[in-house]
Amino acid sequence: MKSIRVASYNIRKAIGTDRRRIPERVIDVINEVDADIVALQEADRRFGIRSAALPPLLLDSQSGYKAVPLNVQTDSMGWHGNAILVRKETQVAAYDVIHLPCLEPRGATMAEVTLDGAKLRVFGMHLDLSGLWRRRQASAMIHAAAQGEAMPTVLMGDLNEWSADRGCLADFARHFSFAPCGRSFHARRPVARLDRIMHCGRLRLVDSGVHESAAARKASDHLPIWAEFAIG
């Protein structure tokens, strides 16, 4: 039985709680979490050419990760700010972007990867501030996850849902289990579980949590969350 560690992190375009844009400290936090796969939100700048918040050369030189090549926008790391990082040695069998129903630009990403012979499908997302649109987006994500070959599946990201078990959380819960990671927002004083990791029945949850290092409390207004699964 193999173990895979995943994480989700809203990096706020590398702008920390001190309002300074320092991509190096975001990479330091990602290295601290030490996950095999990391779903990032707000990974690209919002305006202009939407360049990657974590410059590719910096990510390559200061971490053991690579971005899944979505091949959508030349200077961006992701799709509407969503990106997926994997360890450099990871085989990426497939990848895609998902268009979500929205009022403002929203999207999600998908990657099918192989780690030590184990296959996993991963979705990363950042849902809307509106509860109505979140539910529509959850429906689109559930539909996307049901497509293709059946395999162990993880969905994660910033769901922007403040309720404990209503709205889009109730929609997702009919199809997936939630890892009880904990409160991740605001990084200085976490009060809300806006960031979530969900998984299908083909995966067994081993452990999960929120990464609360001193660096993480400064690098973004969200703390990274993580989950470890047994897969075989």
Side-chain angles (χ1 to χ4, degrees):
M1 187 72 69
K2 299 177 179 64
S3 176
I4 290 181
R5 185 179 176 97
V6 303
S8 181
Y9 191 15
N10 184 330
I11 65 172
R12 198 195 183 193
K13 299 175 282 295
I15 300 173
T17 51
D18 57 2
R19 300 184 181 180
R20 299 171 63 197
R21 188 191 302 275
I22 306 179
E24 290 87 350
R25 62 185 176 186
V26 171
I27 293 174
D28 287 343
V29 173
I30 292 170
N31 288 333
E32 287 177 357
V33 177
D34 195 28
D36 298 299
I37 304 167
V38 184
L40 298 180
Q41 301 86 49
E42 298 193 32
D44 299 322
R45 299 197 185 195
R46 187 172 178 84
F47 302 107
I49 61 174
R50 299 180 184 272
S51 58
L54 306 180
L57 290 178
L58 189 68
L59 182 68
D60 182 61
S61 64
Q62 297 193 11
S63 81
Y65 294 94
K66 61 182 179 182
V68 170
L70 300 173
N71 297 334
V72 179
Q73 294 165 301
T74 304
D75 297 305
S76 300
M77 173 182 287
W79 167 247
H80 291 307
N82 293 281
I84 298 176
L85 303 183
V86 296
R87 296 193 189 276
K88 291 178 180 177
E89 65 272 18
T90 302
Q91 300 175 25
V92 180
Y95 54 85
D96 202 0
V97 298
I98 301 162
H99 298 264
L100 296 179
C102 58
L103 282 176
E104 60 179 10
R106 293 282 175 178
T109 53
M110 183 281 293
E112 294 178 4
V113 305
T114 302
L115 279 167
D116 297 327
K119 292 183 178 180
L120 183 70
R121 181 182 289 124
V122 176
F123 291 88
M125 72 191 87
H126 189 181
L127 301 190
D128 206 279
L129 295 173
S130 160
L132 174 62
W133 286 101
R134 279 198 301 274
R135 299 198 68 175
R136 292 174 178 175
Q137 291 163 0
S139 178
M141 292 303 303
I142 292 165
H143 175 77
Q147 307 306 301
E149 174 189 353
M151 68 175 66
T153 299
V154 172
L155 297 86
M156 50 187 172
D158 180 354
L159 303 193
N160 263 321
E161 180 60 70
W162 286 78
S163 68
D165 55 8
R166 298 188 300 275
C168 71
L169 300 185
D171 298 332
F172 279 121
R174 285 193 285 270
H175 303 270
F176 303 99
S177 299
F178 283 84
C181 298
R183 297 172 180 173
S184 56
F185 182 85
H186 185 279
R188 284 183 172 174
R189 187 178 181 182
V191 296
R193 302 186 181 198
L194 300 187
D195 305 283
R196 300 280 184 158
I197 296 177
M198 301 165 279
H199 63 96
C200 73
R202 293 172 179 262
L203 292 165
R204 181 174 63 84
L205 179 66
V206 176
D207 198 5
S208 63
V210 177
H211 184 76
E212 295 190 69
S213 69
R217 285 191 287 271
K218 293 180 180 179
S220 171
D221 59 349
H222 286 245
L223 296 170
I225 60 172
W226 59 271
E228 187 172 336
F229 298 102
I231 182 172

